[in-house]
Every structure is written in structure tokens, then in C-alpha cells.
Amino acid sequence: MSRKQPPPVPVIGASQDSSREAELRAWEERQQQRQQAAEPAPEAAPATVAALAAAPTPAAPVSAVAEVSTRAAAAGYLEMPVFAEPDTIVPEERLEFYSRGIFAVQYAAKANHERAEQQRLIGLGLRLKALKEEELHKTASFETFGDLTDARFGIKKHQANNIIRVLGVAQALEDITTQELKERPLRVLVPILETHSADAVRKTWQEAARHGNVTDTALKEAAIFLGYAPPKIQPVLEVEPSKTKPKTLPSDESERVLNRLRALAAEDLAAAQREAAALQSAVQELVKELTGKLEQ
């Protein structure tokens, strides 16, 4: 079974001439081999079509390229998996091979995106802090630091200040995680950095990460557990006095008797009249008795 060659990778900013692309690839491979073998100065890079049309510029030395590559690797970026074909003709095995490659590409892209967002926060923080401390908004004729960041970079004043505030926390964490660092959860760690140390910040992050996704709530709980933050003080609940059931008033009993007589009248009017008359007589006797006691 003949293998298909992978599609050529276009060179950004150059022509799509396949021979020039092949020449560039060959040159890059030779430079890498010479670097590994510690050979003397590298040969000059072949010029692209676009480069020939533009003003000539000297090629970057291999040492500079190596330095950038080493720095990128140290920063935690993952190299995107290179396309390759499996050494099998079994369709099921080829499907499994390509599927693993797709998952690897997705994983690397996500990891690199999170690391890039982390470094974006740090990069913005360093530069915004410098702009603010040097009061460079005055140089650009802006009245305030916030006016400069809003007009020139689309960053509101409060957002810029929050980024500057969590800068030290983000720098303390970049060596232990490649995860995206968002400004809002990092605010929890600012007092820990100010009152304890960068190491306390890292320990708090690692403790929170043991339990899954790192959120501001998880960071607060980890800080309390490690003793870097005061425990939560639960508010004292005031117990309301129990409400005693009011005593049944005489009027309620009278209403009950009247309702019973009305119900009886609906069934037997004569019986209701007799019972009402008897009740009236008894009430009159009671009134006389009570009146006599009051007069004594």
C-alpha cells in the first residue's frame, strides 16, 4: 500500500512555491543537526520569494533561535504533534492511530491556550504597572492613567488596577502551574502574598488544586486550612422568643355557640328556638348573679 505524503505546510508571508518550502525545511533541518553536533557558524538561510522582494535583512543566528525554543519549552508550551501515517494497513488500527493524534492535538492546543492566557495576564500586568508608576499617561496628554488604558488599549481603569494588583500572585504561580490564571480568583491570594510570602501563595494554590478545579472558594478554604487566612466567623443567630398561643377569648366561645344554634335551626327550627330560649334564660340568671356580687 502506497503512503500518501502529508500536505505541505505553507510558509506565512512567503509565496506558496513548493520548491522554496522544501528548501526552507531542508535548511532548518541542517541547522538543527549542526546545533546538536556543535558545529561552527551556520550557513545563511535561503531567501524566500517575499524576502527577495523586500529589503534584505540578516538571518537570525542559530543561537538566538535555540534560545527562543528553550525559553518556550521552559515556559510550559507543548509542541504540536507532527502528522504521520501509521505503519499498518488495518483500517481499525489506522482509525485508532489518527484518533489518538486528534486527541493529542486538541490537548496541546488547550494546554498552550491556557499557558498563553496565563502569560498574557503577567505580560499585561508588568507593562501596565510600569505605565502607572512612571505616570506615562502625561506624556500622551491623558489626564489619568485610566484614560490612557481605556483609550489606547480598551482596558478600563478598574480592570487595569486589578491586573496590576494580582501581578505578584501570578508571577508566584507561573513556575508551578501552566493553567490559565484568571484575575478574579487570584484576588484571594493577594493578602497572603502581602502578609506571608510567595511560597505561601504556591502552597495555597497546590492545596486547592488537590480537590479539583481551583476556584476562589477553594482558595479561601485552602488558605484557612493552612492558617494563612482567619477562619470564617459565623454570625450569632438571635433566637426569637416563642410566641405563646393566645387564650381563647369568650367572644370566640360565644361565636361557636351561635354557629351551632344556626346550624341546628337549619335542620330543626323548633329545637333551635327552645335551646336558644333556654340559653337566654340561663344568661339572664347569670347576669343577675354577677350584678348581685358586684353590689355586695
Side-chain angles (χ1 to χ4, degrees):
M1 176 180 177
S2 60
R3 295 187 180 180
K4 297 180 180 179
Q5 294 295 327
V9 180
V11 179
I12 299 176
S15 70
Q16 303 302 316
D17 183 78
S18 59
S19 63
R20 300 301 301 154
E21 293 173 3
E23 185 179 1
L24 284 171
R25 288 179 187 160
W27 174 79
E28 291 175 352
E29 292 178 358
R30 290 196 298 271
Q31 301 313 306
Q32 292 177 357
Q33 293 173 358
R34 291 194 177 191
Q35 180 189 351
Q36 294 174 355
E39 292 184 5
E43 61 181 283
T48 62
V49 175
L52 292 174
T57 56
V62 176
S63 59
V65 177
E67 181 181 354
V68 172
S69 301
T70 303
R71 188 164 61 247
Y77 292 99
L78 296 180
E79 183 178 354
M80 192 62 64
V82 179
F83 174 79
E85 290 196 20
D87 296 328
T88 178
I89 61 174
V90 180
E92 291 79 8
E93 294 178 357
R94 295 178 68 84
L95 171 62
E96 176 67 17
F97 181 88
Y98 289 133
S99 297
R100 289 179 179 274
I102 290 174
F103 288 134
V105 168
Q106 291 175 330
Y107 180 88
K110 179 181 178 181
N112 290 338
H113 171 75
E114 291 193 357
R115 185 62 165 181
E117 286 299 307
Q118 177 196 111
Q119 295 300 302
R120 182 182 72 88
L121 179 65
I122 296 175
L124 287 176
L126 289 169
R127 289 158 179 80
L128 290 171
K129 182 179 179 181
L131 285 175
K132 186 174 184 179
E133 291 179 346
E134 297 179 29
E135 298 184 341
L136 294 178
H137 60 276
K138 298 178 180 178
T139 304
S141 300
F142 285 98
E143 189 171 337
T144 65
F145 165 71
D147 292 338
L148 169 65
T149 60
D150 190 8
R152 182 162 293 187
F153 313 116
I155 302 176
K156 299 295 183 182
K157 177 181 178 180
H158 71 277
Q159 183 183 2
N161 286 330
N162 286 334
I163 292 174
I164 295 172
R165 185 184 177 197
V166 302
L167 172 61
V169 172
Q171 289 176 308
L173 295 175
E174 68 172 329
D175 292 336
I176 65 169
T177 179
T178 60
Q179 184 175 332
E180 178 181 357
L181 300 177
K182 297 182 179 181
E183 173 265 322
R184 185 177 181 85
L186 295 187
R187 297 181 199 173
V188 178
L189 300 175
V190 172
I192 298 176
L193 178 64
E194 294 174 347
T195 58
H196 293 85
S197 64
D199 187 56
V201 169
R202 288 187 282 269
K203 289 181 179 178
T204 303
W205 177 275
Q206 290 170 331
E207 178 61 31
R210 287 199 312 115
H211 306 289
N213 189 26
V214 179
T215 62
D216 52 351
T217 301
L219 289 170
K220 290 178 183 176
E221 293 175 349
I224 293 172
F225 173 75
L226 295 174
Y228 297 134
K232 296 180 181 178
I233 300 177
Q234 298 293 341
V236 178
L237 299 178
E238 296 183 358
V239 180
E240 297 183 359
S242 59
K243 298 180 180 179
T244 57
K245 187 176 181 180
K247 295 182 179 180
T248 304
L249 298 177
S251 59
D252 295 337
E253 183 65 22
S254 302
E255 187 67 25
R256 188 181 66 80
V257 173
L258 292 176
N259 289 335
R260 186 176 63 81
L261 290 176
R262 291 191 183 98
L264 179 59
E267 299 177 358
D268 189 345
L269 181 58
Q273 288 176 341
R274 291 193 298 271
E275 188 168 340
L279 178 61
Q280 183 181 11
S281 176
V283 171
Q284 290 176 349
E285 290 294 332
L286 179 60
V287 171
K288 292 179 180 179
E289 180 180 350
L290 295 176
T291 303
K293 289 183 178 181
L294 290 174
E295 293 177 351
Q296 292 179 355

